[in-house]
Amino acid sequence: MGSRMANNLIEDGYNLTVHDVDHNAMKIFSERGILTKESPFEVADSSDVLITMLPSSNHVLDVYTGRNGLLSHGNTLGPWLFIDSSTIDPQTSRKLSATIADCSLKRKRDGFEVPAMLDAPVSGGVLAAQAGTLTFMVGGLEEAYVAAKPLFLSMGKSTIYCGGAGNGSAAKICNNLAMAVSMLGVSEALALGQKLGIAASTLTKIFNSSSARCWSSDTYNPVPGVMDGVPASRNYDGGFASKLMAKDLNLATESAKEVGLEFPLTSQAEKIFTQLCNDGHGMKDFSCVFRHYYPGNDEL
């Protein structure tokens, strides 16, 4: 995700400095003449704006506050803006935002006396990251959001301001909760229809012309042979990994507990995707839940 987002910024004329724990990923950029650094702190030391895209809350905390992290050398910072596009829990986003707001700037910027942070997770997956058609859900200071909007639109097609710090992360968790439950419902319905004698392609047409229509049926259909260009058409390779969906559902269930809510569908979805990972399918796209639980139901 991050490398594809970086490519779109480069194509729009931004000067980038890149760091990744994967040295092969950095080599690809350095061979193109893009400056690379050996640590997050080195990137921060030479940048005005920082963008991070990481797998989990622990990774984010390590990159920001760990050894040689973005904030590891005192509370006077070079970058005036930090943008985190990772999908993490809102509490971590709010904690980091407050930490950054307590710092000062080496170089003052018009309108900003202290550095700001935006939590800006995305929807659209790897294909949208490559095509520059992501949707950004953004939380944080509204003035920082307005200033950063050209950056978002270099990487995506739309950007939605969600309110204060952590609200972008909260929106993303809610989005993925709905996406997971929807995919499970569509998978079950298509499997049942096939067992009852209705072709998946026929039932998909019915869904997409009626009240069952949703992203899981009309854009990301989970049945092999029904739709071209989706993970189901290439053995569920690429796309949004099942292990990441399991992680996001865990974030949703933990967030629900913290606010005193019980979500039985979310809890069951988390168990299903966790089991999918335990069965060795964590790197497959999350729509492989159809093939795993309903084998032999491919469209012919």
Side-chain angles (χ1 to χ4, degrees):
M1 291 290 292
S3 64
R4 291 160 177 81
M5 293 161 68
N7 284 333
N8 286 320
L9 289 169
I10 292 166
E11 289 178 9
D12 266 13
Y14 288 99
N15 294 320
L16 263 61
T17 301
V18 176
H19 170 73
D20 197 297
V21 292
D22 182 352
H23 284 269
N24 289 327
M26 286 207 294
K27 184 179 179 183
I28 292 171
F29 283 98
S30 63
E31 288 177 347
R32 295 165 55 194
I34 306 301
L35 187 63
T36 61
K37 296 290 185 178
E38 292 299 316
S39 72
F41 172 74
E42 292 179 50
V43 176
D45 199 42
S46 61
S47 303
D48 293 321
V49 177
L50 257 297
I51 302 174
T52 48
M53 170 60 90
L54 299 158
S56 71
S57 299
N58 287 337
H59 292 100
V60 172
L61 288 171
D62 185 54
V63 166
Y64 276 82
T65 63
R67 184 173 178 268
N68 291 320
L70 298 173
L71 310 178
S72 63
H73 288 230
N75 63 354
T76 301
L77 307 178
W80 70 272
L81 178 62
F82 295 79
I83 299 172
D84 181 43
S85 289
S86 315
T87 300
I88 63 175
D89 62 280
Q91 294 78 12
T92 296
S93 295
R94 288 167 181 152
K95 178 181 176 181
L96 284 175
S97 180
T99 298
I100 289 171
D102 283 337
C103 295
S104 58
L105 284 170
K106 289 181 182 178
R107 300 172 296 274
K108 300 297 182 184
R109 178 184 169 91
D110 290 345
F112 293 90
E113 296 296 322
V114 297
M117 182 176 188
L118 297 172
D119 47 287
V122 301
S123 178
V126 173
L127 294 178
Q130 185 167 338
T133 57
L134 293 168
T135 294
F136 287 85
M137 296 157 257
V138 189
L141 189 67
E142 188 168 9
E143 293 87 343
Y145 164 74
V146 172
K149 198 167 184 180
L151 288 170
F152 294 133
L153 294 179
S154 288
M155 299 179 285
K157 65 178 180 180
S158 63
T159 173
I160 301 169
Y161 181 62
C162 302
N167 282 14
S169 295
K172 178 60 188 294
I173 290 173
C174 295
N175 181 81
N176 282 17
L177 182 166
M179 183 170 68
V181 172
S182 169
M183 181 60 73
L184 290 172
V186 167
S187 294
E188 289 189 359
L190 290 171
L192 177 61
Q194 285 178 295
K195 289 297 186 183
L196 295 176
I198 308 172
S201 55
T202 299
L203 198 52
T204 294
K205 291 177 183 177
I206 293 168
F207 287 178
N208 294 343
S209 301
S210 66
S211 57
R213 183 174 187 172
C214 63
W215 182 82
S216 297
S217 68
D218 70 5
T219 303
Y220 216 77
N221 197 283
V223 182
V226 170
M227 185 177 292
D228 294 330
V230 296
S233 71
R234 51 178 186 270
N235 196 32
Y236 301 100
D237 291 326
F240 185 61
S242 295
K243 69 174 187 177
L244 295 179
M245 179 56 83
K247 181 264 292 184
D248 291 353
L249 287 166
N250 177 258
L251 293 176
T253 55
E254 290 302 314
S255 294
K257 290 177 184 176
E258 288 181 7
V259 295
L261 295 175
E262 292 185 10
F263 285 169
L265 292 180
T266 307
S267 297
Q268 185 62 28
E270 182 190 1
K271 292 177 183 177
I272 290 171
F273 281 101
T274 299
Q275 187 61 50
L276 195 64
C277 297
N278 292 340
D279 291 340
H281 304 292
M283 294 305 296
K284 292 290 187 178
D285 180 77
F286 80 106
S287 62
C288 79
V289 69
F290 174 85
R291 170 75 65 79
H292 184 65
Y293 284 96
Y294 312 108
N297 281 283
D298 297 359
E299 179 76 354
L300 301 177

